[in-house]
């Protein structure tokens, strides 16, 4: 049995997280987790997240949706339901958190909130894994006791040829990219090993050989993890997909029937990615590698052999009939340029086969290309496909070198006598057919190669004249003339075929110029634009038999069953997305561009680009799990086609069943057989109720009306949140099907796409040990610390970053804040009076800044900018508390108890969307509220007072500038540098304030006034104008200060008249005591007012005395130092001197 477990830590479930942060002292975390568990239990038992639409008694049936939503505001948000072949990882929780925060904030806005979640089980992955386990059990026994440990070292791996991009300068040097553990150790070759690494008990693994067991095992774990996360999910509406749930199965069948009736689902032969092993199309979610890869269609030219090269002739002799027609078959994307063929390239080291097409026809291509053609009616006819490569063996195998010099006839080429097969080292055996026809007039690669061949004919072992056939103009272009390739090669100074980067750039330029702007100079379509001529040339070649259609994947695709996929041409049911139904596509495009909220331009652009190229999509297959296609039950609905509108099913699922599988009745006693297509039509507002519907379904009128009410209230979906990688498939399909099946008022309102989640600045990877499941994160840091770190990770479509150090710091922050809240309310020294006479400046500033942050947080939550919402709601909120605490202490004035209670209450409310456990604990157990904070409303507070905001900013800016200046002197002294004074000796601080503004500022006042009158205070334009006026060094800070005052709500007249919103001397007097305590060894502080052009100032500040030293009296004249010149009203300067 030791061999089963293996010595390698690769089978240890904890190995995936081996490189993550290790925690030591967990006492504070454990305290917070205990609180979290208590409130999670309370929320689940009370059903606080169970959402219900207004009843037909509250608003009668048949009322318009807008009336429903106006009287009873709602939020309905979802994220993509997770696939049930494992537990949730941190990336899932990152996407889920966006719905979470919005759901929490929406509740506080008085909205009814629905956040449901189902479990996706459709498709190949589960079935493929189950089948692998069946084989593992057969080979090794139920508990895999017959398994013997396998080891493999680096030397056992076959050497892989590097790509051109990977080739090193010195190819004789070898360096391994594998870690020591990966280089030698147990590889996760078998499915049972993968299950062990997932943490599945060994004795239970054999049960997963039954695909249905996956559906029973993983959904409860998903629910557990999200409950431990504190998710506000209405679990009554959960379900599993596939026919394992007969209600959801009926819903999918209705959807497919209606789409077929609308002619959105059609049948026809088309190219599709296909798995020979599985015997069916392999769509995006059926793939281990290659999501997004699509068929690439080529024109495969037939270049008939006229005369074999001597070496090839010897190999072929007697193996192919002399009368047979043998063709080299290059695949091209530019059939319109075939008039310019001068030679045909092969890779000298590539192995080619001669494959039999018919009794008298043979193709010279690579095995890979032949395997693709085998599924395109080339070698096997009438839709019959091979299941294994042994059914397609070459008659003869040849190396590229052996065929060099062979003379072939090139269709359309002006060189009717034939062209030669020549060598080209960069021909790829994994792209096209391995045979490349050469058009040096329009292909920079080809021109560079034939030029090199002609120069080095002896080196290449060819006759020079083979590479020197005349290059004639084929296409006229406005930018590059009629010989595009020679022009670009010369212009870009491309010297050889090894200039791969330059050649790639030149190829791109040549193709775009030729296709979009080129005009044909030869052939039957002379004078026509290339864009119009290209399909005509192709059709002509196909019709006369000089070419055939060929397609292959435009990237590597590996199915879930580890099969390398091909492109097959087969009859199939498909959703008619794209250019074949332009009205449908344009309808979706128009909605994306003009009506749907996408939250970012990147997301909108992603949809627009995808809608422009997305084409028909195979919606059925024969292997895996799913619902049967209603009209042809041998097919199953594929996983990206049964998951487009399931959000509508959430609205009524709890009426139908109370468990995931539909075995337990829901609120209504409705059987699956009663859910007729016409019932779904009524629920989803596609038809009205009728007596025939009531009779045929057996469902009561009131039950039908209640289900319809639930749908028409919750729909449309307000917000769909998904990873950006789903834009090319699921999210676009989601829009297509909604627009096809539902009235416009029920189309989705918004889609928010987020980037991937990195962990500690690195890509999450189990192999590197930098990986966390949701359960790992919540167990390690607790729910709220995880949620706060996810909010802090980022919000845009760029990749976000979950920092474990942040999560760890949050534990201390939230624990310390909890302790402070508990202790401060017991502090008997706090002031209890609420009279205005007892209110200090610090009280006013604190309250005003809290109001500012409440409004800021509301704005950020509304715009779903959670990172900055967190800043306002937590970091800045605690910072303003610290300011109040320190200012009160410096002024020797106790803090106000009522104000502290207000702070604690607001702090709990503001952080509720992100950290609800902590917030509810404070709300119920510290503030002694009798209800959960989950039902609390967002606080309504007055708008901030601009004058108090100005004072607050003034105090913080001035204090920060003084302490920073002192810190700089300390730093300079520590490095042995000269200082203006000795910061470690007793000192005096002089603050200079100005009584009037400098005259130079008038010009900039006028400038800002002009921009303000146009409501155009954009930084870019304003700053540019300041720069042109020539005094930007001193003017820019002044202009920005004016702009900030205007944005803070100060009266524009006061700002432009250069009136401060407060009395600067009075504020400084309040600050002096604190400043003296803050500045080290400060013997006194004085405030001196200065006037422009005067040599002396007047002391106006309160006097501080220390150790018997008199630092002067108010009203005394004081000589001015250089620092005084820079003072302006609201912008004091200061000076330190030793005493």
């Amino acid at each position: 049995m030791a061999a089963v477990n293996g010595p390698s830590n690769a089978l240890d479930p904890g190995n995936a997280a081996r490189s993550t942060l290790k925690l030591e002292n967990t006492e504070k975390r454990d305290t917070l987790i205990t609180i979290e568990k208590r409130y999670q239990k309370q929320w689940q038992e009370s059903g606080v997240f169970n959402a219900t639409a207004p009843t037909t008694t509250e608003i009668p049936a048949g009322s318009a949706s807008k009336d429903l939503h106006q009287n009873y505001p709602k939020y309905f948000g979802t994220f993509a339901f997770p696939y049930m072949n494992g537990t949730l990882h941190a990336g899932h929780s990152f996407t889920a958190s966006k719905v979470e925060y919005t759901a929490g904030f929406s509740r506080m806005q008085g909205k009814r909130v629905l956040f449901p979640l189902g479990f996706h089980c459709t498709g190949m992955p589960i079935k493929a894994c189950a089948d692998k386990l069946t084989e593992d059990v057969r080979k090794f026994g139920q508990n895999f006791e017959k398994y013997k440990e396998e080891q493999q070292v680096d030397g056992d791996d076959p050497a892989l040829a590097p790509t051109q991009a990977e080739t090193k300068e010195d190819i004789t040097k070898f360096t391994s990219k594998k870690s020591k553990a990966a280089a030698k150790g147990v590889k996760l070759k078998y499915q049972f090993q993968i299950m062990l690494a997932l943490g599945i008990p060994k004795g239970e693994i054999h049960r997963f050989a039954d695909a249905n067991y996956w559906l029973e095992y993983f959904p409860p774990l998903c629910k557990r993890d999200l409950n431990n996360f504190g998710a506000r999910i209405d679990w009554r509406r959960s379900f599993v997909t596939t026919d394992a749930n007969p209600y959801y199965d009926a819903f999918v069948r209705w959807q497919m029937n209606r789409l077929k009736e609308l002619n959105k689902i059609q049948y026809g032969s088309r190219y599709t990615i296909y798995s020979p092993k599985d015997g069916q199309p392999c769509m995006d979610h059926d793939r281990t590698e290659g999501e997004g890869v699509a068929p690439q269609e080529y024109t495969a030219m037939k270049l008939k052999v006229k005369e074999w090269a001597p070496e090839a002739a010897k190999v072929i002799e007697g193996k192919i009939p002399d009368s047979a027609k043998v063709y080299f078959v290059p695949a091209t994307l530019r059939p319109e340029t075939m008039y310019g063929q001068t030679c045909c390239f092969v890779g000298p080291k590539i192995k080619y086969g001669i494959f039999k097409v018919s009794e008298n026809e043979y193709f010279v291509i690579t095995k890979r290309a032949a395997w693709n053609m085998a599924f395109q009616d080339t070698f096997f006819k009438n839709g019959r496909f091979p299941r294994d490569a042994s059914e397609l063996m070459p008659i003869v195998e040849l190396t590229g070198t052996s065929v060099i010099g062979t003379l072939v006839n090139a269709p359309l080429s002006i060189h009717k006598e034939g062209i030669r097969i020549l060598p080209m080292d960069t021909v790829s055996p994994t792209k096209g057919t391995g045979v490349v026809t050469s058009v040096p007039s329009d292909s920079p690669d080809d021109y560079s190669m034939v030029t090199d061949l002609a120069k080095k004919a002896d080196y290449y072992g060819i006759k020079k004249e083979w590479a020197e056939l005349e290059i004639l103009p084929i296409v006229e272009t406005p930018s590059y003339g009629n010989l595009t390739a020679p022009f670009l090669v010369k212009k870009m100074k491309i010297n050889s075929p090894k200039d791969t980067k330059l050649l790639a750039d030149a190829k791109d330029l040549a193709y775009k110029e030729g296709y979009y702007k080129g005009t044909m100079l030869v052939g039957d379509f002379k004078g026509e634009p290339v864009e119009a001529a290209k399909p005509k040339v192709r059709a002509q070649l196909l019709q006369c038999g000089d070419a055939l259609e060929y397609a292959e994947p435009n990237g590597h695709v590996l199915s879930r069953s580890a099969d390398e996929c091909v492109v097959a041409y087969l009859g199939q049911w498909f959703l008619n997305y794209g250019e074949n139904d332009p009205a449908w596509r344009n309808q979706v495009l128009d909605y994306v561009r003009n009506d749907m909220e996408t939250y970012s331009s990147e997301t909108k652009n992603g949809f627009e680009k995808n809608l422009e190229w997305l084409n028909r999509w195979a919606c059925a297959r024969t292997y895996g799990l799913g619902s049967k296609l209603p009209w042809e039950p041998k097919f199953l609905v594929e996983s990206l086609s049964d998951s487009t509108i399931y959000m509508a099913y959430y609205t009524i699922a709890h009426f139908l069943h109370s468990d995931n599988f539909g075995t337990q009745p829901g609120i209504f006693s409705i059987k699956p057989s009663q859910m007729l297509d016409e019932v779904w039509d009524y629920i989803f507002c596609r038809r009205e109720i009728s007596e025939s519907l009531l009779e045929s379904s057996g469902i009561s009128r009131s039950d039908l009306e209640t289900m319809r009410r639930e749908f028409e209230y919750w729909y449309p979906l307000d917000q769909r949140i998904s990873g950006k990688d789903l834009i090319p498939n699921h999210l676009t399909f989601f829009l297509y099907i909604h627009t096809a099946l539902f009235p416009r008022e029920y189309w989705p309102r918004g889609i928010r796409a987020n980037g991937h989640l990195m962990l500690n600045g690195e890509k999450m990877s189990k192999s590197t040990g930098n990986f966390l499941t949701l359960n790992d994160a919540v167990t390690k840091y607790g729910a709220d610390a995880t949620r706060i770190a996810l909010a802090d990770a980022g919000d845009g479509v760029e990749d976000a970053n979950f920092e474990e150090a942040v999560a760890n710091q949050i534990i201390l922050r939230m624990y310390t804040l909890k302790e402070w809240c508990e202790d401060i309310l017991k502090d008997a020294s706090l002031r209890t009076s609420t009279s205005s006479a007892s209110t200090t400046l610090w009280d006013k500033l604190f309250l005003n800044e809290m109001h500012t942050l409440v409004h800021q947080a509301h704005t950020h939550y509304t715009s779903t900018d959670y990172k900055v919402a967190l800043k306002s709601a937590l970091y800045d909120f605690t910072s303003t508390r610290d300011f109040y605490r320190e200012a009160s202490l410096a002024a020797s004035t106790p803090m106000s108890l009522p104000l502290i209670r207000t702070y604690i209450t607001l702090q709990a409310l503001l952080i509720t969307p992100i950290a609800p456990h902590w917030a509810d604990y404070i709300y119920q157990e510290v503030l002694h509220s009798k209800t959960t904070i989950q039902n609390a409303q967002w606080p309504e507070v007055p708008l901030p007072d601009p004058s108090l905001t100005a004072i607050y900013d003034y105090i913080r800016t001035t204090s920060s500038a003084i302490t920073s200046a002192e810190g700089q002197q300390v730093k300079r002294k520590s490095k042995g540098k000269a200082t203006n004074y000795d910061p470690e000796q007793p000192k005096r601080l002089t603050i200079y304030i100005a009584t009037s503004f400098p005259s130079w500022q008038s010009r900039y006042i006028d400038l800002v006034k002009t921009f303000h009158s146009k409501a155009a205070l954009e930084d870019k334009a304003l700053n540019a104008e300041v720069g042109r006026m020539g005094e930007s060094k001193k003017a820019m800070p002044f202009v920005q200060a004016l702009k900030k005052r205007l944005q803070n709500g100060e009266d524009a007249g006061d700002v432009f008249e250069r009136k401060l919103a407060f009395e600067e001397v009075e504020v400084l007097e309040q600050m002096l005591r604190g400043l003296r305590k803050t500045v080290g060894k400060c013997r006194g502080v004085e405030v001196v007012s200065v006037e422009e052009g005067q040599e002396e100032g007047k002391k106006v500040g309160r006097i501080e005395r220390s150790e018997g030293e008199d630092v002067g009296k108010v009203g005394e004249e004081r000589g001015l130092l250089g620092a005084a010149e820079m003072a302006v009203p609201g912008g004091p300067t200061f000076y330190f001197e030793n005493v």
Side-chain angles (χ1 to χ4, degrees):
M1 294 306 294
V4 177
N5 293 320
S8 171
N9 61 5
L11 301 183
D12 179 1
N15 185 52
R18 67 184 181 277
S19 299
T20 60
L21 187 66
K22 303 298 185 289
L23 302 188
E24 296 179 1
N25 188 344
T26 63
E27 181 182 351
K28 293 179 176 62
R29 178 204 68 185
D30 297 341
T31 299
L32 293 176
I33 288 179
T34 299
I35 291 171
E36 290 168 354
K37 296 300 180 189
R38 185 157 70 244
Y39 282 91
Q40 288 165 5
K41 184 172 184 289
Q42 181 189 114
W43 298 336
Q44 292 303 317
E45 289 178 350
S46 66
V48 69
F49 304 135
N50 293 348
T52 306
T55 65
T56 52
T57 303
E58 291 174 288
I59 291 189
S63 300
S65 291
K66 64 180 181 180
D67 294 333
L68 271 172
H69 299 153
Q70 185 174 354
N71 294 324
Y72 298 92
K74 61 90 180 181
Y75 167 77
F76 177 20
T78 65
F79 74 102
F81 51 15
Y83 197 76
M84 290 295 100
N85 62 345
T87 55
L88 304 185
H89 56 68
H92 287 116
S93 55
F94 178 61
T95 302
S97 71
K98 306 303 182 186
V99 189
E100 251 301 291
Y101 306 147
T102 309
F105 179 59
S106 296
R107 293 177 68 92
M108 300 187 78
Q109 293 176 295
K111 297 178 182 179
R112 299 192 187 196
V113 170
L114 176 57
F115 176 15
L117 188 68
F119 308 105
H120 199 199
C121 309
T122 309
M124 284 183 56
I126 290 174
K127 185 70 169 72
C129 291
D131 289 351
K132 289 177 185 176
L133 277 175
T134 299
E135 180 62 16
D136 287 355
V137 170
R138 185 191 68 78
K139 288 172 67 175
F140 304 125
Q142 180 169 300
N143 290 316
F144 316 104
E145 60 275 5
K146 299 176 186 176
Y147 173 74
K148 302 299 181 185
E149 182 184 324
E150 298 176 11
Q151 287 197 339
Q152 184 174 348
V153 298
D154 282 349
D156 296 330
D157 287 336
L160 300 177
T163 66
Q164 196 160 24
E166 293 170 335
T167 303
K168 297 181 295 184
E169 291 181 3
D170 184 357
I171 60 173
T172 65
K173 297 287 196 305
F174 173 77
T175 55
S176 173
K177 293 184 179 179
K178 297 183 180 181
S179 68
K180 186 178 290 187
K184 185 175 183 178
V186 177
K187 292 178 178 287
L188 302 188
K189 178 179 179 180
Y190 298 102
Q191 186 63 39
F192 81 87
Q193 294 174 319
I194 296 172
M195 304 303 281
L196 280 171
L198 285 174
I200 308 298
K202 183 173 56 185
E204 195 169 354
I205 291 176
H206 70 276
R207 302 181 68 181
F208 289 86
D210 175 4
N212 290 318
Y213 188 66
W214 296 67
L215 281 60
E216 298 172 12
Y217 187 86
F218 285 111
L221 296 183
C222 175
K223 181 177 179 180
R224 175 205 69 187
D225 292 348
L226 285 166
N227 279 339
N228 290 342
F229 185 63
R232 300 173 174 92
I233 293 174
D234 182 351
W235 291 111
R236 300 173 305 154
R237 301 168 188 262
S238 299
F239 57 89
V240 295
T241 64
T242 77
D243 53 9
N245 184 318
Y247 294 96
Y248 188 76
D249 185 56
F251 168 72
V252 173
R253 285 187 279 109
W254 161 78
Q255 171 188 338
M256 303 308 284
N257 280 330
R258 293 299 180 253
L259 288 169
K260 185 170 182 288
E261 290 169 8
L262 291 167
N263 206 33
K264 303 302 182 187
I265 294 179
Q266 300 177 3
Y267 186 85
S269 294
R270 59 186 289 273
Y271 290 114
T272 191
I273 305 294
Y274 183 87
S275 166
K277 179 178 179 180
D278 301 328
Q280 65 174 9
C282 185
M283 310 312 290
D284 274 4
H285 282 190
D286 300 326
R287 303 173 187 176
T288 300
E289 295 177 29
E291 186 170 345
V293 171
Q296 174 66 66
E297 296 184 37
Y298 293 91
T299 302
M301 301 294 295
K302 295 169 66 175
L303 277 59
K304 183 183 176 183
V305 174
K306 298 178 72 173
E307 176 188 310
W308 283 104
E311 185 179 343
K314 290 179 183 177
V315 176
I316 294 166
E317 187 175 3
K319 297 176 182 176
I320 294 175
D322 292 338
S323 61
K325 299 175 182 178
V326 183
Y327 299 93
F328 281 79
V329 187
T332 181
L333 295 171
R334 303 193 64 187
E336 76 282 3
T337 65
M338 292 300 98
Y339 301 99
Q341 296 174 87
T342 63
C343 64
C344 181
F345 296 126
V346 294
K349 297 179 182 178
I350 295 176
K351 283 189 177 181
Y352 294 89
I354 301 181
F355 293 89
K356 183 177 180 180
V357 179
S358 65
E359 289 301 322
N360 199 41
E361 188 173 20
Y362 296 80
F363 285 174
V364 181
I365 50 179
T366 60
K367 285 184 179 180
R368 174 187 168 278
W371 186 237
N372 266 277
M373 287 184 182
F375 298 87
Q376 298 169 27
D377 286 334
T378 300
F379 302 112
F380 298 85
K381 305 298 181 182
N382 302 318
R384 187 177 84 80
F385 294 160
R387 291 303 293 266
D388 127 358
S390 64
E391 297 183 53
L392 184 68
M393 300 299 291
I395 304 302
V396 180
E397 285 191 294
L398 304 152
T399 62
T401 301
S402 67
V403 300
I404 290 171
T406 297
L407 182 67
V408 296
N409 178 62
L412 296 186
S413 174
I414 56 177
H415 297 290
K416 302 300 182 185
E417 69 283 2
I419 62 175
R420 296 285 177 172
I421 303 295
L422 299 179
M424 187 182 200
D425 289 331
T426 55
V427 171
S428 171
T430 59
K431 186 174 183 180
T433 60
V435 181
V436 180
T437 193
S438 171
V439 183
S441 60
D442 291 84
S443 168
D445 288 283
D446 295 352
Y447 180 75
S448 178
M449 190 67 226
V450 296
T451 302
D452 203 54
L453 287 167
K455 286 180 182 177
K456 305 174 184 176
D458 291 341
Y459 172 80
Y460 286 108
I462 66 169
K463 294 181 179 180
K464 185 177 181 180
E465 58 266 26
W466 292 351
E468 290 187 323
L469 296 190
E470 185 180 4
I471 301 173
L472 295 177
I474 305 298
V475 174
E476 178 74 42
T477 67
S479 300
Y480 311 133
N482 58 20
L483 289 172
T484 293
F487 179 91
L488 286 171
V489 167
K490 182 178 180 181
K491 179 183 178 183
M492 298 175 70
K493 299 180 180 178
I494 297 171
N495 297 317
S496 82
K498 295 180 181 179
D499 294 335
T500 52
K501 175 65 171 64
L502 289 174
L503 283 168
D505 294 341
K507 178 182 178 180
D508 188 53
L509 292 171
Y511 184 85
K512 288 179 179 177
E513 178 80 7
Y515 182 74
Y516 292 109
K517 299 179 182 179
T519 302
M520 298 298 297
L521 296 175
V522 296
D524 293 347
F525 309 104
K526 179 180 179 180
E528 293 191 21
V530 168
E531 195 169 0
K534 178 177 179 174
K536 296 178 183 179
V537 175
R538 184 174 195 262
Q540 190 179 71
L541 285 164
L542 295 173
Q543 186 175 6
C544 67
D546 286 333
L548 69 151
E549 295 179 333
Y550 171 67
E552 65 183 25
N554 62 6
H556 184 256
V557 180
L558 200 66
S559 76
R560 297 280 181 176
S561 59
D563 185 34
E564 184 169 355
C565 293
V566 298
V567 166
Y569 188 74
L570 74 166
Q572 59 187 279
W573 293 101
F574 56 83
L575 279 153
N576 198 31
Y577 301 137
E579 62 186 4
N580 296 291
D581 191 338
W584 193 16
R585 180 179 66 179
N586 292 338
Q587 182 182 51
V588 179
L589 258 173
D590 177 71
Y591 189 67
V592 168
R593 286 171 175 161
N594 300 313
D595 296 295
M596 190 179 76
E597 174 63 66
T598 57
Y599 299 91
S600 74
S601 58
E602 294 93 336
T603 298
K604 178 175 284 189
N605 292 339
F607 276 115
E608 290 177 350
K609 290 177 182 177
N610 192 53
L611 284 162
E612 287 167 1
W613 72 261
L614 179 69
N615 215 319
R616 293 168 170 172
W617 185 267
C619 61
R621 44 166 170 53
T622 57
Y623 176 81
L625 304 179
S627 296
K628 293 180 173 62
L629 205 60
W631 58 89
E632 197 164 357
K634 70 177 182 179
F635 289 112
L636 298 169
V637 180
E638 69 90 30
S639 62
L640 281 169
S641 299
D642 83 335
S643 58
T644 54
I645 58 168
Y646 63 87
M647 311 84 200
Y649 187 80
Y650 282 138
T651 64
I652 50 90
H654 59 306
F655 292 120
L656 304 179
H657 53 84
S658 58
D659 69 323
N660 290 334
F661 295 91
T663 59
Q664 301 298 319
I667 295 172
F668 299 151
S669 297
I670 297 174
K671 297 176 182 178
S673 59
Q674 294 177 273
M675 295 305 294
L676 309 175
D677 284 357
E678 293 73 21
V679 171
W680 296 109
D681 284 340
Y682 171 73
I683 292 171
F684 298 141
C685 302
R686 291 170 51 86
R687 61 167 290 167
E688 295 307 316
I689 206 163
S690 65
E691 291 302 322
S692 63
L693 176 61
L694 295 172
E695 183 178 347
S696 61
S697 69
I699 303 173
S700 71
R701 178 184 292 269
S702 64
D703 287 355
L704 285 170
E705 288 179 344
T706 299
M707 288 192 288
R708 178 159 173 165
R709 162 55 52 80
E710 198 82 8
F711 168 76
E712 64 186 2
Y713 176 67
W714 292 116
Y715 251 59
L717 182 66
D718 294 288
Q719 189 181 54
R720 175 67 168 178
I721 297 182
S722 295
K724 62 185 177 183
D725 54 308
L726 294 184
I727 290 175
N729 43 58
H730 164 71
L731 290 174
T732 302
F733 301 169
F734 158 78
L735 292 175
Y736 261 117
I737 305 304
H738 270 85
T739 60
L741 292 180
F742 297 114
R744 189 181 182 93
E745 64 185 295
Y746 299 116
W747 295 358
R749 285 179 175 163
I751 296 177
R752 190 182 191 283
N754 55 256
H756 302 296
L757 184 69
M758 295 190 295
L759 180 60
N760 302 322
E762 307 258 339
K763 182 180 178 181
M764 276 206 291
S765 168
K766 291 182 180 179
S767 63
T768 63
N770 192 51
F771 188 84
L772 282 180
T773 65
L774 174 55
N775 184 56
D776 290 337
V778 171
T779 300
K780 193 171 186 177
Y781 300 110
D784 282 342
T786 298
R787 293 167 67 107
I788 291 171
L790 286 169
D792 193 67
D795 292 307
V797 294
E798 65 277 359
D799 290 348
N801 182 36
F802 182 93
E803 280 287 352
E804 288 192 278
V806 171
N808 195 29
Q809 291 162 8
I810 287 297
I811 293 172
L812 177 60
R813 176 185 283 270
M814 301 312 287
Y815 180 85
T816 304
L817 187 55
K818 175 190 80 74
E819 294 281 291
W820 184 86
C821 291
E822 292 168 342
D823 294 341
I824 196 67
L825 292 179
K826 302 171 187 174
D827 189 340
S829 69
L830 297 183
R831 285 181 290 122
T832 57
S833 173
T834 58
S835 68
S836 57
S838 65
T839 302
T840 68
L841 172 64
W842 312 115
D843 294 340
K844 294 176 184 177
L845 294 178
F846 183 35
L847 182 61
N848 188 71
E849 185 62 14
M850 286 195 289
H851 292 168
T852 298
L853 292 171
V854 168
H855 287 289
Q856 282 183 7
H858 187 278
T859 299
H860 299 320
Y861 277 129
T862 300
S863 60
T864 69
D865 293 326
Y866 303 113
K867 185 178 178 74
V868 287
L870 176 67
K871 182 177 182 295
S872 297
L874 179 62
Y875 300 137
D876 290 349
F877 215 72
T878 53
S879 178
T880 202
R881 176 213 61 177
D882 295 342
F883 168 84
Y884 176 58
R885 182 171 56 180
E886 292 161 8
S888 297
L889 180 63
S892 301
T893 304
M895 293 186 291
S896 163
L897 177 60
L899 202 51
I900 290 299
R901 286 191 64 87
T902 298
Y903 161 76
I904 295 173
T905 302
L906 291 176
Q907 178 64 92
L909 291 169
L910 264 60
I911 202 62
T912 292
I914 295 176
H917 309 85
W918 186 93
D920 216 357
Y921 170 80
I922 296 297
Y923 198 64
Q924 293 194 54
E925 298 188 41
V926 177
L927 297 171
H928 306 296
S929 173
K930 295 182 180 180
T931 59
T932 174
I933 204 167
Q934 296 282 11
N935 291 329
Q937 300 296 288
W938 186 263
E940 292 187 12
V941 299
L943 290 172
D945 181 333
S947 64
L948 291 173
T949 300
I951 294 172
Y952 184 82
D953 289 344
Y954 177 86
I955 291 173
R956 298 201 70 165
T957 302
T958 303
S959 299
S960 176
I962 290 171
T963 54
S964 294
E966 184 184 26
Q968 284 294 324
Q969 295 300 309
V970 172
K971 187 176 181 181
R972 287 181 65 84
K973 184 174 180 181
S974 69
K975 293 182 177 181
K977 296 181 180 180
T979 60
N980 297 330
Y981 64 95
D982 189 341
E984 296 177 359
Q985 296 301 314
K987 64 185 79 70
R988 177 168 58 204
L989 169 63
T990 301
I991 300 174
Y992 297 106
I993 62 171
T995 59
S996 62
F997 287 92
S999 56
W1000 64 264
Q1001 293 182 352
S1002 298
R1003 302 196 300 142
Y1004 296 95
I1005 290 282
D1006 293 338
L1007 174 67
V1008 175
K1009 189 183 296 185
T1010 301
F1011 273 80
H1012 182 66
S1013 66
K1014 298 176 182 177
L1017 280 174
E1018 296 93 350
D1019 276 338
K1020 189 174 181 181
L1022 183 59
N1023 292 352
E1025 191 61 34
V1026 172
R1028 279 193 287 271
M1029 293 170 72
E1031 298 173 297
S1032 58
K1033 186 172 182 180
K1034 63 180 180 180
M1036 197 68 76
F1038 172 68
V1039 168
Q1040 291 300 321
L1042 291 176
K1043 180 180 172 184
K1044 184 175 181 181
R1045 291 179 63 187
L1046 290 167
Q1047 292 174 333
N1048 283 344
E1050 288 190 48
D1051 180 79
D1054 288 346
V1055 174
F1056 294 136
E1057 290 173 18
R1058 289 182 282 186
K1059 289 181 180 178
L1060 292 182
F1062 55 91
E1063 290 295 333
E1064 189 170 9
V1065 173
E1066 293 179 6
V1067 173
L1068 279 170
E1069 284 184 349
Q1070 295 281 342
M1071 294 174 61
L1072 292 181
R1073 189 184 298 273
L1075 285 172
R1076 184 171 165 272
K1077 289 185 177 181
T1078 302
V1079 175
K1081 295 187 177 181
C1082 185
R1083 295 291 184 255
V1085 184
E1086 62 182 19
V1087 180
V1088 177
S1089 70
V1090 298
E1091 294 184 16
E1092 189 174 10
Q1094 298 298 311
E1095 295 182 359
E1096 291 190 334
K1098 183 180 291 185
K1099 295 180 184 177
V1100 295
R1102 189 173 64 191
I1103 306 305
E1104 292 285 342
R1105 299 176 183 274
S1106 176
E1107 299 179 6
E1109 181 192 358
D1110 187 345
V1111 295
K1113 299 177 181 178
V1114 172
E1116 286 183 352
E1117 297 293 327
R1118 177 73 183 268
L1120 300 180
L1121 299 172
E1125 294 180 7
M1126 299 301 294
V1128 295
T1133 56
F1134 48 88
Y1135 179 76
F1136 288 101
E1137 57 185 330
N1138 292 118
V1139 295

